């Protein structure tokens, strides 16, 4: 119902639904009536999730309600006509959850090497921002992984649990990108359970990262910070003679934590988490993609920009962001960085430059740009605030993002 509204307009829409005056809502969030009026009328950009979350809490709605998430997933040649609902059915299929009901296992188990290749294919699609492809493949892959966990014994069963955990994690990551936060939480929770049965600390650490992302997407920033603190304590013993894989998942966990701390307006913890991630990146010594983390010095720099934006330090983001060379990183990382830089540029009314960044990101990853609230909000606010007709590139982008 509110897809074509800006975040500020959605705040006004829900405020009226709650029967609240501007004076009352402004008081609940510790702001002035003038500030709220400007936000609701698109004269002030609501570009910090910490602020948006405060408004959502006061209105008793979810963060996704104000971000217009989840979005409708477009049908593509890769997705077919069964997308998120099919994946929801797979995640909620009780027959796959427990053997105690005596439901027989259907089919022969997939050879573990084939299963590993299939898991890698979905993760690669995620990093290429091909969400339709990943969503289409995941229901069958989940079924195959769970059959493997029941069919194999000994070390092979542990390997099957590793692959099941990574399958659930890929589902959680894709669903988070699509704004399906509740489903993502189910997938991450199941994945962490499977990871613990595998006995593999790298896989367990990878799932901690996914749980942190799910807490982030649900607006539970303090809980995400605490998770990173607790999980890093559990993992710290592995830093002795750490492998590149371990350094990558350990450092990436702190990158997720830095975003949580920034959205919680905790500058000190943000700095500490970024410093810890930077130490892991320097020990790793290069940009790499172990366990599909895209971890290394460049990803740390990307998070310096993103956390600056979340803390409202747009000058830092606009100074540092454009200078970062992301060409060696996966599409998903490059695209996300472009959106952060576009947000910072837009804050200084450098709309033409910001539009160029979004268009470049769309050329790399149309599904990711279409599904991300930041791209939709930027383009919609630009169109709303144009004194004349928007340029053709802007108008056509707004049409492709379905925001007008």
């Amino acid at each position: 119902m509110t897809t074509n509204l800006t975040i500020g307009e959605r705040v006004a829409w829900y405020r009226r639904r709650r029967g609240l005056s501007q004076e009352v809502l402004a008081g609940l969030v510790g702001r002035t009536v003038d500030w709220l009026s400007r936000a609701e009328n698109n004269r002030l950009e609501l570009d910090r999730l910490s602020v948006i979350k405060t408004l959502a809490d006061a209105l008793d709605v979810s963060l996704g309600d104000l971000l217009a998430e989840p979005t409708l997933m477009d049908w593509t040649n890769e997705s077919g006509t069964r997308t998120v609902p099919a994946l929801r059915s797979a995640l909620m299929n009780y027959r796959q959850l427990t053997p105690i009901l005596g439901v027989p296992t259907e089919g022969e188990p997939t050879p573990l090497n084939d299963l590993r290749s299939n898991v890698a294919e979905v993760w690669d699609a995620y990093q290429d921002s091909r969400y339709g492809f990943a969503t289409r493949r995941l229901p069958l892959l989940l079924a195959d992984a769970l059959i493997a966990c029941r069919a194999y014994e000994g070390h092979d069963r542990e390997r099957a649990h590793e692959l099941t955990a990574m399958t659930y994690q890929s589902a959680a990551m894709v669903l988070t990108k699509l704004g399906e936060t509740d489903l993502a939480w189910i997938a991450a929770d199941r994945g962490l359970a499977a990871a613990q049965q595998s006995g593999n600390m790298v896989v367990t650490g990878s799932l901690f990262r996914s749980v942190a992302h799910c807490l982030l997407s649900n607006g539970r920033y303090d809980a995400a910070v605490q998770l990173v603190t607790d999980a890093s304590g559990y993992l710290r013993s592995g830093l002795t003679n750490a492998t590149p894989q371990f350094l990558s998942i350990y450092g990436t966990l702190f990158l997720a934590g830095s975003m949580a701390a920034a959205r919680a307006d905790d500058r000190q913890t943000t700095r500490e988490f970024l410093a810890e991630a930077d130490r892991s990146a320097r020990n790793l010594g290069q940009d790499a993609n172990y366990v599909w983390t895209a971890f290394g010095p460049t990803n740390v720099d990307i998070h310096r920009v993103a956390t600056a934006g979340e803390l409202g330090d747009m000058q830092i983001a606009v100074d540092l962001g454009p200078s970062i060379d992301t060409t060696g990183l996966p599409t998903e990382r490059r695209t996300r960085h472009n959106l952060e830089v576009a947000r910072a540029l837009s804050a200084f009314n450098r709309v033409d430059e910001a539009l160029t960044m979004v268009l470049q990101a769309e050329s790399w990853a149309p599904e990711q740009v279409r599904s991300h609230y930041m791209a939709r909000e930027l383009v919609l606010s630009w169109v709303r605030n144009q004194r004349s007709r928007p340029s053709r590139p802007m108008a056509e982008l707004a049409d492709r993002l379905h925001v007008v």
Side-chain angles (χ1 to χ4, degrees), residues 126-309:
Y126 164 76
Q127 290 198 317
D128 288 340
S129 302
R130 295 164 55 209
Y131 303 144
F133 177 90
T135 303
R136 185 175 187 173
R137 292 296 182 92
L138 275 165
L140 181 59
L141 183 56
L142 282 170
D144 287 345
L146 291 168
I147 289 171
C149 287
R150 295 189 194 179
Y152 289 110
E153 300 290 343
H155 180 62
D156 283 345
R157 174 169 286 184
E158 292 177 350
R159 292 177 62 202
H161 281 300
E162 291 174 10
L163 295 171
T164 300
M166 296 305 295
T167 302
Y168 274 123
Q169 185 180 5
S170 66
M173 300 296 275
V174 170
L175 288 165
T176 298
K177 290 292 186 183
L178 297 175
E180 297 280 356
T181 57
D182 292 342
L183 284 179
W185 175 260
I186 292 172
D189 178 67
R190 301 247 182 93
L192 184 57
Q196 290 170 324
Q197 292 187 67
S198 76
N200 187 322
M201 188 174 283
V202 168
V203 173
T204 301
S206 189
L207 266 296
F208 282 138
R209 168 175 65 118
S210 193
V211 172
H213 279 297
C214 287
L215 290 170
L216 271 173
S217 64
N218 277 286
R220 299 187 61 194
Y221 307 136
D222 291 334
V225 169
Q226 188 61 53
L227 169 68
V228 170
T229 301
D230 294 342
S232 63
Y234 169 79
L235 295 169
R236 192 163 289 121
S237 63
L239 289 173
T240 304
N241 300 318
T243 63
Q245 290 82 357
F246 188 89
L247 285 172
S248 296
I249 64 98
Y250 187 78
T252 305
L253 179 66
F254 280 100
L255 293 183
S258 72
M259 292 298 293
R263 291 176 186 175
D265 270 330
D266 185 343
R267 291 176 178 272
Q268 179 62 31
T269 302
T270 300
R271 287 192 292 268
E272 291 172 359
F273 281 1
L274 284 173
E276 192 68 31
D278 186 60
R279 280 190 284 273
S280 290
R282 284 188 279 108
N283 287 334
L284 186 63
Q286 62 181 349
D287 291 328
N289 195 29
Y290 295 105
V291 203
W292 295 281
T293 55
F295 184 69
T298 302
N299 207 349
V300 175
D301 285 341
I302 283 175
H303 279 76
R304 295 189 198 283
V305 173
T307 53

